[in-house]
């Protein structure tokens, strides 16, 4: 579910400070930073070794599932992901940016086809995502929305885990977060709300985030075999500790999963690193999204203003 522009900027700010870096020195010392890392640097998190694009593409092609993150307002992240989809020709592109639905091939006017599938072009800042979906259209790759609806997200933010749809509940209950992963998610949710997310509202936000991850996992598990299935989503969803990767590790441990987090050069970032690979691009200029931010009132009914359920 898209955010308002200011909320999207807060998510970008979060991932400028919460996505972890992967330069070799940081990996060796436990101090993660992208300061001094050249733009468009591709890094194997397990070794700290820099990769060229061909090597990364070979590794991604050998996976069953490829998770491609993003900072939503960085156009270079979308361009690079479009290049990956062009190269992989995946069996399916599963998209955070649309509600769950049947796979469809994008023909004719791209924007109109996406809107027909539930894509909110204004809220997602079209044409930011155009390179990703254009690549799917060129390759005749089916695209499947894989997010909870706006109303579902609001209900879960109010009611917590008790409001999980039954279709997602069994998935989530089979793969609960351990204490460390839950703490990491909570910390990032609080940061994404500029420190204003109180303990009374945190469980609901956590439950909404987990529901989104479960919806994406279900779509990935339904994708045809043969070539990788690709998820396009925010960096928070493609994490291996509390995102889609964590659910896949429990629900389908035999699956070969590769997660690519997209980060920005010049940003100091904490560890541990929750991705298989990190792709570093130039940063974009942003105003401080937390300047003057306050939490909106807690919604009292399904028709009232939604609690801020962040895109990650």
């Amino acid at each position: 579910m898209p955010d308002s522009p200011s909320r999207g900027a807060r998510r970008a700010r979060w991932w400028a400070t919460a996505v972890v870096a992967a330069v070799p020195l940081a990996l060796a010392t436990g101090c993660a930073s992208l300061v001094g890392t050249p733009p468009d640097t591709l890094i194997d998190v397990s070794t700290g070794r820099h990769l060229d694009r061909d090597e990364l593409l070979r590794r991604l092609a050998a996976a069953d599932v490829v998770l491609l993150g993003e900072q939503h307002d960085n156009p270079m992240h979308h361009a690079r992901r479009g290049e990956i989809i062009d190269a992989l020709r995946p069996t399916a592109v599963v998209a955070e940016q649309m509600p769950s639905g049947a796979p469809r091939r994008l023909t004719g006017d791209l924007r109109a086809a996406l809107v027909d599938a539930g894509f909110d072009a204004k809220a997602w800042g079209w044409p930011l995502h155009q390179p990703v979906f254009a690549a799917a259209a060129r390759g005749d790759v089916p695209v499947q929305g894989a997010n909870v609806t706006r109303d579902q997200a609001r209900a879960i933010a109010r009611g917590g885990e008790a409001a999980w749809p039954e279709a997602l509940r069994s998935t989530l209950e089979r793969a609960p977060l351990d204490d460390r992963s839950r703490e990491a998610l909570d910390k990032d949710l609080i940061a994404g709300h500029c420190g204003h997310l109180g303990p009374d509202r945190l469980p609901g936000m956590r439950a909404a985030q987990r529901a989104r991850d479960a919806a994406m996992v279900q779509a990935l598990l339904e994708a045809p075999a043969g070539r990788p299935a690709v998820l396009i989503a925010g960096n928070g969803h493609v994490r291996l500790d509390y995102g889609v990767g964590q659910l896949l590790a429990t629900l389908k441990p035999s699956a070969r999963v590769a997660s690519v987090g997209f980060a920005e050069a010049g940003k100091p970032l904490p560890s541990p690193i929750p991705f298989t690979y990190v792709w570093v691009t130039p940063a974009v200029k942003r105003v401080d999204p937390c300047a003057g931010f306050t939490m909106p009132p807690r919604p009292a009914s399904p028709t009232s203003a939604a609690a801020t359920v962040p895109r990650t």
Side-chain angles (χ1 to χ4, degrees):
M1 182 185 71
D3 301 317
S4 66
S6 61
R7 194 173 307 138
R10 289 199 303 278
R11 305 312 302 161
R13 177 183 182 272
W14 170 28
W15 280 107
T17 56
V19 174
V20 291
V23 295
L25 178 61
L27 290 169
T29 64
C31 175
S33 173
L34 292 182
V35 175
T37 303
D40 265 319
T41 300
L42 288 62
I43 305 164
D44 179 343
V45 170
S46 66
T47 65
R49 188 168 69 86
H50 289 200
L51 307 175
D52 62 31
R53 295 190 189 206
D54 289 343
E55 183 174 2
L56 177 63
L57 289 172
R58 284 194 298 270
R59 295 186 183 194
L60 297 183
D64 299 309
V65 178
V66 174
L67 311 176
L68 299 180
E70 64 180 72
Q71 290 180 225
H72 298 299
D73 65 343
N74 189 318
M76 286 162 283
H77 293 180
H78 305 301
R80 304 302 182 263
R81 296 188 306 166
E83 294 166 7
I84 291 173
I85 291 170
D86 272 328
L88 293 182
R89 296 289 294 271
T91 59
V93 169
V94 173
E96 171 197 6
Q97 295 79 14
M98 293 173 286
S100 296
R104 61 174 67 199
R105 285 176 165 80
L106 302 176
T107 59
D109 181 88
L110 183 59
R111 183 181 185 277
L114 290 167
V115 170
D116 187 58
F119 179 79
D120 189 331
K122 181 178 180 181
W124 284 104
W126 183 262
L128 277 171
H129 288 78
Q130 184 172 0
V132 174
F133 293 115
R138 280 192 299 272
D140 196 31
V141 177
V143 173
Q144 182 171 357
N147 208 336
V148 297
T149 66
R150 185 184 301 270
D151 287 344
Q152 286 173 326
R154 289 173 173 171
I156 297 167
R158 287 193 310 274
E161 295 180 3
W164 278 340
E166 288 304 316
L168 302 179
R169 179 177 301 279
S170 61
T171 295
L172 290 162
E173 290 181 346
R174 288 169 59 195
L177 292 176
D178 61 28
D179 290 345
R180 182 175 179 178
S181 296
R182 185 175 61 254
E183 289 170 5
L185 174 56
D186 289 353
K187 179 180 178 181
D188 289 342
L189 288 170
I190 292 168
H193 290 82
C194 304
H196 294 287
L197 182 61
D200 59 327
R201 299 175 73 166
L202 179 58
M205 296 300 181
R206 183 197 310 128
Q209 178 80 357
R210 294 288 287 164
R212 290 177 173 177
D213 289 338
M216 296 177 207
V217 165
Q218 289 182 352
L220 288 168
L221 293 176
E222 294 167 0
R227 296 186 306 277
V230 168
L231 172 68
I232 57 168
N235 278 326
H237 292 297
V238 308
R239 288 177 62 131
L240 300 174
D241 55 349
Y242 64 63
V244 167
Q246 179 268 339
L247 288 167
L248 285 171
T250 300
L251 300 172
K252 194 172 183 180
S254 63
R256 296 166 296 179
V257 178
S259 171
V260 183
F262 279 79
E264 295 182 335
K267 304 294 185 180
L269 305 164
S271 59
I273 298 163
F275 310 109
T276 316
Y277 307 103
V278 174
W279 190 315
V280 185
T281 74
V284 298
K285 293 183 178 179
R286 303 180 180 93
V287 298
D288 181 2
C290 287
F293 170 76
T294 57
M295 286 289 292
R298 188 183 186 93
S301 71
T303 57
S304 62
T308 55
V309 185
R311 277 187 330 202
T312 60

